[in-house]
């Protein structure tokens, strides 16, 4: 079952359960997936759908940070609930140790020696962890290992 089909099935389940919170988030995901489908002018592959879901997840994560900085507890609670629903469709995220291992391997592969090779290392690491790790975590791991 593709990601788009899973989202549709979960939307039907949420409708039947009358779960308004989950239904609202799933409808937003479904809309984002449909917009992407129209944009690329073909059925979405699982990889393309995963990229859309990752983008939605990242937007909510950034919103959560902003709401916390602004002491908006009402919006923090709502956004955390949305994040839990979106997380169901995300691939399993890599741990910090796994990210550091991939970064160390990549540094050896590209022959990086210092901070001047940062861009080269990031360019090689990001395709390996696409959708499975936050870019900020990868960035920090690369910086710490190159310095």
């Amino acid at each position: 079952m593709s990601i788009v089909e899973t989202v549709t099935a979960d939307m039907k389940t949420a409708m039947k359960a009358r779960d308004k919170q989950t239904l609202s988030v799933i409808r937003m995901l479904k809309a984002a997936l449909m917009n992407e489908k129209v944009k690329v002018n073909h059925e979405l592959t699982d990889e393309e759908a995963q990229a859309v879901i990752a983008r939605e997840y990242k937007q909510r994560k950034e919103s959560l940070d902003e709401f916390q900085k602004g002491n908006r507890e009402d919006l923090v609670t709502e956004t955390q609930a949305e994040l839990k629903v979106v997380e169901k469709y995300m691939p399993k995220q890599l741990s910090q140790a796994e990210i550091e291992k991939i970064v160390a391997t990549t540094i050896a592969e590209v022959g990086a020696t210092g901070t001047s090779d940062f861009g080269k290392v990031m360019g090689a690491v990001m395709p390996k962890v696409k959708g499975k790790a936050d870019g900020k975590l990868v960035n920090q791991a690369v910086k710490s290992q190159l310095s």
Side-chain angles (χ1 to χ4, degrees):
M1 187 180 249
S2 74
I3 294 172
V4 176
E5 292 168 344
T6 303
V7 170
T8 304
D10 288 351
M11 186 171 80
K12 290 176 187 173
T13 304
M15 284 175 156
K16 289 177 183 175
R18 299 187 189 276
D19 183 353
K20 290 183 181 182
Q21 174 78 32
T22 304
L23 181 60
S24 171
V25 177
I26 291 175
R27 280 185 172 155
M28 282 189 270
L29 280 177
K30 182 110 171 108
L33 290 166
M34 294 307 285
N35 287 340
E36 187 71 15
K37 177 183 172 187
V38 168
K39 184 177 164 186
V40 297
N41 204 21
H42 63 79
E43 291 294 324
L44 295 179
T45 64
D46 272 353
E47 190 172 289
E48 290 169 328
Q50 200 62 57
V52 172
I53 290 171
R55 186 170 57 231
E56 292 294 315
Y57 181 81
K58 184 177 180 184
Q59 285 175 350
R60 282 167 179 76
K61 195 82 163 155
E62 289 171 353
S63 296
L64 181 65
D65 292 340
E66 292 300 317
F67 295 149
Q68 287 171 335
K69 287 178 188 172
N71 293 324
R72 293 292 311 267
E73 289 305 315
D74 55 329
L75 295 174
V76 167
T77 306
E78 184 179 322
T79 307
Q80 286 173 334
E82 288 180 8
L83 273 172
K84 286 181 183 170
V85 174
V86 177
E87 277 177 352
K88 287 193 276 187
Y89 305 103
M90 294 283 292
K92 182 183 173 294
Q93 297 294 296
L94 296 172
S95 70
Q96 186 67 32
E98 291 170 318
I99 292 170
E100 289 178 8
K101 183 178 177 187
I102 291 170
V103 168
T105 305
T106 305
I107 288 173
E109 286 173 4
V110 298
T113 56
T115 54
S116 61
D117 295 321
F118 177 80
K120 189 177 2 174
V121 174
M122 284 297 290
V125 170
M126 288 311 289
K128 294 178 183 179
V129 298
K130 187 175 183 180
K132 295 183 241 167
D134 183 23
K136 288 180 184 177
L137 295 175
V138 176
N139 187 319
Q140 292 168 353
V142 171
K143 280 182 181 175
S144 69
Q145 290 189 31
L146 285 179
S147 59

